[in-house]
Amino acid sequence: MDKKVFRFDSKSFIIFILLFLVEILIAKTRGFIRHTFGDFLVVILLYYLVKSFVNLSPKKIAIGVLCFSFTVEILQYFELVTMLGLQDNKLMRIVIGSTFSFGDLIAYTLGVITVYCIETYKKKSLKI
């Protein structure tokens, strides 16, 4: 069986777009919603972005998204934005981030676990 790795999944892309719009709204808030729930949702957003174009198992996508998120967070610890000379670029400070937080790693992990459980449950319920 030849399984295509690259394809377009419109349902996943619609979920990505909806989550992206929610993230834009969250970016205008402060406190817990922005700093914790936003980080929780961003990995789910990334999961559905990847799933929109790549035909891999939920586990592989989830692990990839979590590794990517952890890498970005660790690069924040080393002040990547400053190293790239982008500290005055507000958009890049938002996209890449400028401060490391252990709490963000927890939020990313919980977000990936949540989307993985949702996807695994959907897959199992479709087989019934």
Side-chain angles (χ1 to χ4, degrees), residues 25 27 40-41 48 59-61 64 66-67 69 76-77 81-82 88 92 95 98 105 113 122:
L25 293 173
F40 172 84
L41 275 185
Y48 283 107
K59 184 177 183 179
K60 287 181 181 178
I61 297 173
L66 189 61
C67 288
S69 302
Q76 289 174 11
Y77 176 81
V81 173
T82 303
D88 297 326
M92 292 312 292
V95 171
S98 56
L105 299 176
I113 289 170
K122 279 182 5 184

Side-chain angles (χ1 to χ4, degrees), residues 5-67:
V5 176
F6 296 103
R7 52 90 172 112
F8 181 69
D9 178 7
S10 60
K11 290 179 185 177
S12 293
F13 193 72
I14 290 169
I15 294 169
F16 160 73
I17 294 295
L18 293 173
L19 288 170
F20 183 73
L21 295 172
V22 170
E23 285 285 354
I24 289 171
L25 293 173
I26 287 174
K28 297 179 183 216
T29 66
R30 294 189 176 171
F32 175 82
I33 297 292
R34 180 176 182 186
H35 298 292
T36 303
F37 191 64
D39 291 330
F40 172 84
L41 275 185
V42 79
V43 291
I44 298 172
L45 172 144
L46 290 172
Y47 177 93
Y48 283 107
L49 175 63
V50 172
K51 187 177 178 210
S52 296
F53 299 101
V54 179
N55 190 21
L56 293 173
S57 71
K59 184 177 183 179
K60 287 181 181 178
I61 297 173
I63 290 170
V65 166
L66 189 61
C67 288

